[in-house]
Amino acid sequence: MSLPGLLLSLLLAGIAIAIVAAPLLRSRRGGRTGENHAYQQEQHRVSYERVLTNILDLDEDLATGKISEADHQTEREIWLQRGIQLLRALDSLEDDIEVAHEDADIDQAIEAAVAAHRAGAQAKSRE
């Protein structure tokens, strides 16, 4: 293989790797933060519903005598802790989204103030 052919092959391989790796790197850096938060929120909500279902099933199993009181308490405490963790994670995600919205509002207010200042400066320079 000639040197130009080898260089061209390496260049094409590098481009292919960059194209494949870009979405992976973007997701690690938190690209598309809004979509990522929405997906995480949905996953946490589904998991929380599963926790509630498991707790209800445990209560039903205790009522029908399928499990002992000690097993019920142990399992119920585990599921309660998982539910608490999920609720905290949901609260954290909602706080992050609120901060992002507040930042966007502040950015828009700054842009509007800069535009008004520039418009005023241009009007003065015309006089």
Side-chain angles (χ1 to χ4, degrees), residues 8-111:
L8 182 62
S9 297
L10 289 173
L11 178 66
L12 290 175
I15 291 171
I17 290 171
I19 290 172
V20 170
L24 298 174
L25 294 174
R26 195 175 324 129
S27 67
R28 273 193 203 154
R29 287 189 309 231
R32 298 183 182 185
T33 304
E35 291 177 13
N36 191 24
H37 280 298
Y39 176 76
Q40 287 178 343
Q41 277 186 315
E42 183 61 27
Q43 292 301 314
H44 288 329
R45 283 190 186 110
V46 168
S47 296
Y48 184 70
E49 288 175 9
R50 191 174 311 131
V51 166
L52 293 177
T53 301
N54 287 339
I55 290 172
L56 291 174
D57 288 345
L58 279 171
D59 292 344
E60 184 178 319
D61 288 347
L62 178 67
T64 59
K66 292 181 180 178
I67 60 173
S68 68
E69 179 70 31
D71 290 341
H72 174 262
Q73 283 300 100
T74 304
E75 288 293 318
R76 196 170 204 281
E77 184 60 33
I78 291 169
W79 285 108
L80 284 173
Q81 290 304 317
R82 287 182 187 171
I84 290 168
Q85 290 172 349
L86 287 167
L87 287 176
R88 286 183 180 152
L90 276 168
D91 285 344
S92 174
L93 286 172
E94 288 173 3
D95 290 345
D96 290 347
I97 290 172
E98 287 176 16
V99 168
H101 287 299
E102 289 172 4
D103 288 347
D105 292 342
I106 290 170
D107 289 344
Q108 287 176 350
I110 291 171
E111 290 295 328

